[in-house]
Amino acid sequence: DSCIGNSGTGWLHLASGGVYFTNTLYIGANTGSIGTVVMDAGSFQAKVIVIGDMGTGNVIQSGGQFETCPPGGSLGRDVILGNSAGGRGVAVISNGLFRSSYHMDVGRAGRGELYLRGGDITISRDFRVGYNVGSTGLVSLESGTIDVNQEIFVGNNGTGTLTSATD
């Protein structure tokens, strides 16, 4: 597994080119850690992306492609914001493509926050907001699109909120 902010503070800024992880990537892995990815352009790929496992993870995307689809064509998996109790994952997307080739959880067992201010989110399977007991998920759709190929769960066993300024 790979980490940005394992037990301390980690920062990655992608302005062009590509970053490829063939395994699980944790952004804000352990308690007290802070991981941040700022993406302006290019391609960011991993098999599984966990934003805020037990720590705090942040993704700020203003362009490019951020996705679970590793090189070599093997199956990518989930994008998770707020994976474990005490974890907090935040994604702010203003442009570009944010794609999960499987499920996307905003608040799996921790706190997840997703702010879509432009761009596109594509989810190949289920979109789950506030999925497990004790989780909190918040999705704010201000502009852009979310395309879900299967089911949407808001407050499945946790607390989920989805707001849209485009209603």
Side-chain angles (χ1 to χ4, degrees), residues 46-134:
K47 187 170 186 176
V48 177
I49 300 173
V50 179
I51 304 166
D53 185 24
M54 293 180 284
T56 299
N58 303 293
V59 172
I60 302 161
Q61 181 182 4
S62 61
Q65 294 183 345
F66 186 95
E67 58 189 335
T68 55
C69 182
S74 60
L75 178 65
R77 296 294 292 187
D78 298 344
V79 173
I80 305 160
L81 288 82
N83 188 45
S84 302
R88 180 173 182 238
V90 178
V92 180
I93 303 159
S94 59
N95 199 2
L97 174 66
F98 191 98
R99 182 171 79 93
S100 173
S101 61
Y102 209 66
H103 299 298
M104 183 168 177
D105 292 347
V106 180
R108 179 174 275 181
R111 179 175 179 83
E113 300 171 34
L114 174 62
Y115 302 94
L116 183 60
R117 297 179 175 153
D120 300 301
I121 296 175
T122 302
I123 303 162
S124 295
R125 298 289 292 265
D126 296 339
F127 184 36
R128 307 181 299 200
V129 182
Y131 190 62
N132 290 320
V133 173

Side-chain angles (χ1 to χ4, degrees), residues 143-164:
S143 181
T145 61
I146 300 177
D147 181 18
V148 180
N149 288 333
Q150 290 193 2
E151 297 185 79
I152 299 172
F153 300 93
V154 178
N156 186 59
N157 287 308
T159 302
T161 304
L162 190 146
T163 62
S164 174

